[in-house]
Amino acid sequence: MPISKKATLLIRNIGHLVTMTGPVPRIGDGMKDVALIEGGGIAAAGDEILAVGGSDEVEGHTPLAEGCEVIDAGGRVATPGFIDPHTHPVFSMTREKEFEMRLEGKSYMEIAESGGGIRASVRDLRSTPVNVLMEKTTGRLDRFLRHGVTTIEAKSGYGLSTESELKQLEIIRDLGPLHPVEMVPTFLGAHEVPDEYRSKREDYIYLIINEMIPAVTSGGLAEFSDIFCEEGVYDIDESRRIQQAAADAGLKLKFHADELKSTGGAELAASMNARSADHLVYASDKGIRAMAASGTAAVLLPGTTFSLGGRQYAPARKMIEAGVAVALSTDCNPGSSYSESLPMIISLAAVQMRMTAAEAISAVTVNAAYAIGRESRLGQLKEGYQADITLWDMSDYRELPYHYGVNLASRVIKKGKLVSEC
Ligand code: NIG
Ligand code: FE
């Protein structure tokens, strides 16, 4: 079928073209299907994909616009631009001292209880000027992009006052037009209880519900509401109350759940029809079944277990067998997992959670798009979808988990434009 629109981008001679077309989300054995085309080509017009197929066929049937960018992939692998569905990218101070304290035997929770952890990041963020935060966040977006990531979910949660939560969400909004990496904003006012409310936590919950959520939604500053539902942070009843208020105000739900202990977070997320529950290292069997039934995605964060020096990883195989849509993320944050490398996460998912290359790629494309509500536009290389494409310096997509600790993203295309070349 000849194509009427003219291409502004043509990529030919792709060895493994991983299109990911097919069911969304991918569940069960479906996660093994990457909808592969060998010897493929892609054409895009502006920010949209025009044609995907065999290299000669796409080239033969697509008229090229004047000045069309033509890329010969030289037999390399192409995938949809990766999507990271859980990040905390807006912060200034790093916490390498805490990392060393953990090496000496202190636990993440012990450090948090003694005033470090999230609360230390909050004190820093509140006093850091916006331009400094913009610059540091931009550096992280640059690193995501260089590692083949074209979209991230981005949380607030280091402000914990109305003013400073809005400050973070406004930075996420204002960076949108300035950087190729697209961000989906999440309000995380219930990330911790800040210093000044330690002895009156009910007043802080009142503030979240009656001041922060209305301010966030009236400014259109977030699509999702998230909460750290964990023993010692927000319990199940508090989490339900805060998230119900967020849902009533029109926000979609996400949960940090069952990360350090099993508290019934997965069950709560499923019962509230959350789009995702994240971490889930200690999710119960009942919680896993409930998530499969409600279509709540599991966003797994093996980099966090790795960086905290944990031995137990989330039960990915059990979740896949139960029919949960599994996604993967870096959890990029200054405390428990400081990395912008989704390829590294794919290697950890393979070795520590026994996910195959195909399952892990499903988890950072279609299923990650589903976890952030972008499945109708992102996560697949398909006509009409946004032209977000990463070319990898490898000839077989199964090299992704296997060849670890180096950056193999060679060209990154966002909205039809070449935005990074390594
Ligand atoms: O996803 N678990 C809670 N929140 C982050 C850690 C944030 C921090 O330590 O600064 C996480 O691991
Ligand atoms: Fe997190």
Side-chain angles (χ1 to χ4, degrees), residues 331-372:
D331 193 16
C332 180
N333 76 76
S336 60
S337 181
Y338 193 17
S339 175
E340 296 90 348
S341 173
L342 263 183
M344 174 70 194
I345 299 305
I346 287 176
S347 292
L348 285 172
V351 173
Q352 300 292 350
M353 307 197 303
R354 301 275 174 253
M355 287 176 71
T356 64
E359 288 170 333
I361 294 171
S362 295
V364 296
T365 55
V366 281
N367 285 5
Y370 176 75
I372 59 167

Short mmCIF file of all heavy atoms in Angstrom, two decimals, residues 331-372:
data_model
loop_
_atom_site.label_atom_id
_atom_site.label_comp_id
_atom_site.label_asym_id
_atom_site.label_seq_id
_atom_site.Cartn_x
_atom_site.Cartn_y
_atom_site.Cartn_z
N ASP A 331 13.44 3.50 39.81
CA ASP A 331 13.17 4.15 41.11
C ASP A 331 14.18 5.27 41.36
O ASP A 331 14.47 5.58 42.51
CB ASP A 331 13.20 3.12 42.26
CG ASP A 331 12.63 3.66 43.57
OD1 ASP A 331 11.95 4.69 43.53
OD2 ASP A 331 12.87 3.03 44.63
N CYS A 332 14.74 5.85 40.31
CA CYS A 332 15.83 6.83 40.47
C CYS A 332 15.51 7.84 41.59
O CYS A 332 14.57 8.62 41.50
CB CYS A 332 16.03 7.56 39.15
SG CYS A 332 17.33 8.79 39.23
N ASN A 333 16.29 7.79 42.65
CA ASN A 333 16.12 8.70 43.79
C ASN A 333 17.43 8.76 44.57
O ASN A 333 18.29 7.89 44.39
CB ASN A 333 14.95 8.22 44.68
CG ASN A 333 15.31 7.01 45.54
OD1 ASN A 333 15.99 7.13 46.55
ND2 ASN A 333 14.85 5.82 45.15
N PRO A 334 17.61 9.78 45.44
CA PRO A 334 18.91 9.93 46.10
C PRO A 334 19.16 8.96 47.25
O PRO A 334 20.28 8.89 47.77
CB PRO A 334 18.85 11.36 46.65
CG PRO A 334 17.40 11.61 46.88
CD PRO A 334 16.69 10.89 45.77
N GLY A 335 18.12 8.22 47.67
CA GLY A 335 18.28 7.37 48.85
C GLY A 335 18.48 5.92 48.52
O GLY A 335 19.56 5.35 48.70
N SER A 336 17.42 5.28 47.99
CA SER A 336 17.46 3.82 47.88
C SER A 336 17.92 3.30 46.53
O SER A 336 18.21 2.10 46.39
CB SER A 336 16.06 3.25 48.19
OG SER A 336 15.13 3.77 47.26
N SER A 337 18.02 4.16 45.50
CA SER A 337 18.41 3.66 44.18
C SER A 337 18.78 4.84 43.28
O SER A 337 17.91 5.44 42.66
CB SER A 337 17.25 2.88 43.54
OG SER A 337 17.63 2.38 42.27
N TYR A 338 20.07 5.17 43.23
CA TYR A 338 20.48 6.32 42.42
C TYR A 338 21.02 5.83 41.09
O TYR A 338 22.22 5.58 40.94
CB TYR A 338 21.50 7.18 43.18
CG TYR A 338 21.73 8.54 42.55
CD1 TYR A 338 20.83 9.06 41.61
CD2 TYR A 338 22.82 9.31 42.89
CE1 TYR A 338 21.02 10.30 41.05
CE2 TYR A 338 23.03 10.58 42.33
CZ TYR A 338 22.12 11.05 41.40
OH TYR A 338 22.32 12.28 40.83
N SER A 339 20.13 5.67 40.12
CA SER A 339 20.55 5.25 38.78
C SER A 339 19.52 5.70 37.76
O SER A 339 18.32 5.71 38.03
CB SER A 339 20.68 3.73 38.71
OG SER A 339 20.98 3.34 37.37
N GLU A 340 20.01 6.07 36.59
CA GLU A 340 19.13 6.41 35.46
C GLU A 340 19.22 5.34 34.38
O GLU A 340 18.82 5.56 33.24
CB GLU A 340 19.53 7.77 34.85
CG GLU A 340 19.37 8.97 35.77
CD GLU A 340 20.63 9.25 36.58
OE1 GLU A 340 21.54 8.39 36.60
OE2 GLU A 340 20.73 10.33 37.18
N SER A 341 19.75 4.18 34.74
CA SER A 341 20.01 3.16 33.71
C SER A 341 18.97 2.03 33.72
O SER A 341 19.09 1.08 34.50
CB SER A 341 21.41 2.58 33.91
OG SER A 341 21.60 1.50 33.02
N LEU A 342 17.98 2.12 32.84
CA LEU A 342 17.02 1.01 32.73
C LEU A 342 17.69 -0.26 32.18
O LEU A 342 17.32 -1.36 32.58
CB LEU A 342 15.83 1.41 31.85
CG LEU A 342 14.58 1.90 32.57
CD1 LEU A 342 13.46 2.18 31.57
CD2 LEU A 342 14.07 0.91 33.62
N PRO A 343 18.68 -0.14 31.26
CA PRO A 343 19.36 -1.38 30.84
C PRO A 343 19.98 -2.13 32.02
O PRO A 343 19.95 -3.36 32.07
CB PRO A 343 20.42 -0.88 29.85
CG PRO A 343 19.81 0.36 29.27
CD PRO A 343 19.07 1.01 30.41
N MET A 344 20.54 -1.41 32.98
CA MET A 344 21.10 -2.07 34.17
C MET A 344 19.98 -2.79 34.95
O MET A 344 20.16 -3.90 35.46
CB MET A 344 21.77 -1.00 35.05
CG MET A 344 22.28 -1.50 36.39
SD MET A 344 23.71 -2.58 36.17
CE MET A 344 23.80 -3.32 37.78
N ILE A 345 18.82 -2.16 35.02
CA ILE A 345 17.67 -2.76 35.72
C ILE A 345 17.23 -4.03 34.99
O ILE A 345 16.84 -5.03 35.62
CB ILE A 345 16.50 -1.73 35.79
CG1 ILE A 345 16.92 -0.48 36.57
CG2 ILE A 345 15.23 -2.35 36.37
CD1 ILE A 345 17.44 -0.70 37.97
N ILE A 346 17.31 -4.01 33.66
CA ILE A 346 16.95 -5.20 32.87
C ILE A 346 17.90 -6.36 33.21
O ILE A 346 17.48 -7.51 33.36
CB ILE A 346 16.97 -4.86 31.36
CG1 ILE A 346 15.74 -3.98 31.04
CG2 ILE A 346 17.00 -6.10 30.49
CD1 ILE A 346 15.69 -3.48 29.61
N SER A 347 19.18 -6.05 33.36
CA SER A 347 20.14 -7.10 33.75
C SER A 347 19.82 -7.66 35.13
O SER A 347 19.86 -8.87 35.35
CB SER A 347 21.58 -6.57 33.73
OG SER A 347 21.95 -6.28 32.41
N LEU A 348 19.51 -6.77 36.07
CA LEU A 348 19.16 -7.23 37.42
C LEU A 348 17.88 -8.07 37.40
O LEU A 348 17.78 -9.09 38.08
CB LEU A 348 18.94 -6.03 38.36
CG LEU A 348 20.20 -5.30 38.82
CD1 LEU A 348 19.82 -4.03 39.57
CD2 LEU A 348 21.05 -6.20 39.71
N ALA A 349 16.91 -7.65 36.60
CA ALA A 349 15.64 -8.39 36.52
C ALA A 349 15.89 -9.79 35.96
O ALA A 349 15.25 -10.76 36.38
CB ALA A 349 14.65 -7.63 35.65
N ALA A 350 16.81 -9.88 35.03
CA ALA A 350 17.12 -11.19 34.44
C ALA A 350 17.81 -12.08 35.48
O ALA A 350 17.35 -13.20 35.77
CB ALA A 350 18.00 -11.02 33.21
N VAL A 351 18.88 -11.58 36.05
CA VAL A 351 19.71 -12.44 36.92
C VAL A 351 19.03 -12.71 38.26
O VAL A 351 19.06 -13.83 38.75
CB VAL A 351 21.10 -11.78 37.11
CG1 VAL A 351 21.92 -12.53 38.13
CG2 VAL A 351 21.82 -11.70 35.77
N GLN A 352 18.40 -11.69 38.84
CA GLN A 352 17.85 -11.84 40.18
C GLN A 352 16.37 -12.25 40.21
O GLN A 352 15.89 -12.76 41.20
CB GLN A 352 18.00 -10.53 40.98
CG GLN A 352 19.44 -10.08 41.14
CD GLN A 352 20.26 -11.00 42.05
OE1 GLN A 352 19.73 -11.89 42.71
NE2 GLN A 352 21.56 -10.78 42.07
N MET A 353 15.64 -11.98 39.13
CA MET A 353 14.21 -12.28 39.16
C MET A 353 13.82 -13.23 38.04
O MET A 353 12.64 -13.48 37.83
CB MET A 353 13.39 -10.99 39.09
CG MET A 353 13.80 -9.97 40.16
SD MET A 353 12.61 -8.63 40.49
CE MET A 353 12.44 -7.91 38.89
N ARG A 354 14.82 -13.70 37.30
CA ARG A 354 14.59 -14.70 36.23
C ARG A 354 13.63 -14.22 35.16
O ARG A 354 12.84 -15.01 34.63
CB ARG A 354 14.06 -16.02 36.84
CG ARG A 354 15.01 -16.64 37.86
CD ARG A 354 16.06 -17.50 37.17
NE ARG A 354 17.05 -17.99 38.11
CZ ARG A 354 18.32 -17.55 38.20
NH1 ARG A 354 18.77 -16.61 37.39
NH2 ARG A 354 19.15 -18.06 39.05
N MET A 355 13.69 -12.95 34.83
CA MET A 355 12.90 -12.46 33.70
C MET A 355 13.74 -12.57 32.44
O MET A 355 14.92 -12.24 32.44
CB MET A 355 12.46 -11.00 33.94
CG MET A 355 11.37 -10.89 35.00
SD MET A 355 10.91 -9.17 35.38
CE MET A 355 10.05 -8.68 33.89
N THR A 356 13.13 -13.04 31.35
CA THR A 356 13.88 -13.15 30.10
C THR A 356 14.01 -11.75 29.47
O THR A 356 13.31 -10.80 29.88
CB THR A 356 13.13 -14.04 29.09
OG1 THR A 356 11.89 -13.41 28.76
CG2 THR A 356 12.87 -15.44 29.65
N ALA A 357 14.86 -11.68 28.45
CA ALA A 357 15.03 -10.39 27.75
C ALA A 357 13.69 -9.89 27.23
O ALA A 357 13.35 -8.71 27.38
CB ALA A 357 16.03 -10.55 26.60
N ALA A 358 12.91 -10.80 26.63
CA ALA A 358 11.63 -10.38 26.04
C ALA A 358 10.68 -9.88 27.14
O ALA A 358 10.01 -8.85 26.96
CB ALA A 358 11.00 -11.55 25.29
N GLU A 359 10.63 -10.59 28.26
CA GLU A 359 9.74 -10.15 29.35
C GLU A 359 10.18 -8.79 29.89
O GLU A 359 9.35 -7.92 30.17
CB GLU A 359 9.76 -11.18 30.48
CG GLU A 359 9.03 -12.47 30.13
CD GLU A 359 9.24 -13.57 31.16
OE1 GLU A 359 10.30 -13.59 31.84
OE2 GLU A 359 8.36 -14.45 31.26
N ALA A 360 11.49 -8.62 30.04
CA ALA A 360 11.99 -7.36 30.58
C ALA A 360 11.74 -6.21 29.61
O ALA A 360 11.41 -5.09 30.02
CB ALA A 360 13.48 -7.49 30.92
N ILE A 361 11.87 -6.47 28.30
CA ILE A 361 11.60 -5.39 27.33
C ILE A 361 10.10 -5.06 27.34
O ILE A 361 9.71 -3.89 27.29
CB ILE A 361 12.12 -5.78 25.93
CG1 ILE A 361 13.65 -5.87 25.95
CG2 ILE A 361 11.68 -4.74 24.89
CD1 ILE A 361 14.27 -6.44 24.69
N SER A 362 9.24 -6.08 27.44
CA SER A 362 7.80 -5.80 27.59
C SER A 362 7.57 -4.88 28.79
O SER A 362 6.72 -3.99 28.77
CB SER A 362 7.00 -7.09 27.82
OG SER A 362 7.06 -7.93 26.71
N ALA A 363 8.35 -5.13 29.85
CA ALA A 363 8.17 -4.42 31.13
C ALA A 363 8.61 -2.96 31.07
O ALA A 363 8.19 -2.17 31.91
CB ALA A 363 8.93 -5.15 32.24
N VAL A 364 9.47 -2.60 30.12
CA VAL A 364 9.91 -1.18 30.02
C VAL A 364 9.34 -0.49 28.77
O VAL A 364 9.76 0.61 28.43
CB VAL A 364 11.45 -1.04 30.05
CG1 VAL A 364 12.01 -1.52 31.38
CG2 VAL A 364 12.11 -1.79 28.90
N THR A 365 8.40 -1.18 28.10
CA THR A 365 7.76 -0.56 26.92
C THR A 365 6.23 -0.58 27.12
O THR A 365 5.71 0.28 27.81
CB THR A 365 8.20 -1.27 25.62
OG1 THR A 365 7.93 -2.68 25.72
CG2 THR A 365 9.68 -1.05 25.34
N VAL A 366 5.56 -1.62 26.57
CA VAL A 366 4.08 -1.62 26.66
C VAL A 366 3.58 -1.58 28.10
O VAL A 366 2.64 -0.84 28.42
CB VAL A 366 3.42 -2.84 25.97
CG1 VAL A 366 3.35 -2.64 24.48
CG2 VAL A 366 4.03 -4.14 26.31
N ASN A 367 4.16 -2.40 28.97
CA ASN A 367 3.63 -2.45 30.34
C ASN A 367 3.97 -1.21 31.14
O ASN A 367 3.19 -0.78 31.99
CB ASN A 367 4.11 -3.72 31.05
CG ASN A 367 3.37 -4.96 30.54
OD1 ASN A 367 2.58 -4.87 29.61
ND2 ASN A 367 3.63 -6.10 31.16
N ALA A 368 5.12 -0.61 30.85
CA ALA A 368 5.46 0.66 31.51
C ALA A 368 4.52 1.76 31.02
O ALA A 368 4.07 2.60 31.81
CB ALA A 368 6.91 1.02 31.25
N ALA A 369 4.20 1.74 29.73
CA ALA A 369 3.24 2.73 29.19
C ALA A 369 1.89 2.56 29.89
O ALA A 369 1.24 3.55 30.28
CB ALA A 369 3.09 2.56 27.67
N TYR A 370 1.48 1.31 30.06
CA TYR A 370 0.21 1.03 30.76
C TYR A 370 0.27 1.56 32.20
O TYR A 370 -0.70 2.16 32.69
CB TYR A 370 -0.02 -0.48 30.73
CG TYR A 370 -1.23 -0.95 31.49
CD1 TYR A 370 -2.52 -0.76 30.97
CD2 TYR A 370 -1.10 -1.59 32.73
CE1 TYR A 370 -3.64 -1.19 31.67
CE2 TYR A 370 -2.21 -2.02 33.42
CZ TYR A 370 -3.48 -1.83 32.90
OH TYR A 370 -4.58 -2.25 33.59
N ALA A 371 1.39 1.35 32.87
CA ALA A 371 1.52 1.76 34.29
C ALA A 371 1.42 3.27 34.46
O ALA A 371 1.12 3.75 35.55
CB ALA A 371 2.83 1.24 34.87
N ILE A 372 1.69 4.04 33.38
CA ILE A 372 1.57 5.51 33.50
C ILE A 372 0.43 6.07 32.63
O ILE A 372 0.37 7.28 32.39
CB ILE A 372 2.91 6.22 33.15
CG1 ILE A 372 3.38 5.90 31.73
CG2 ILE A 372 3.98 5.85 34.17
CD1 ILE A 372 4.50 6.79 31.23
#
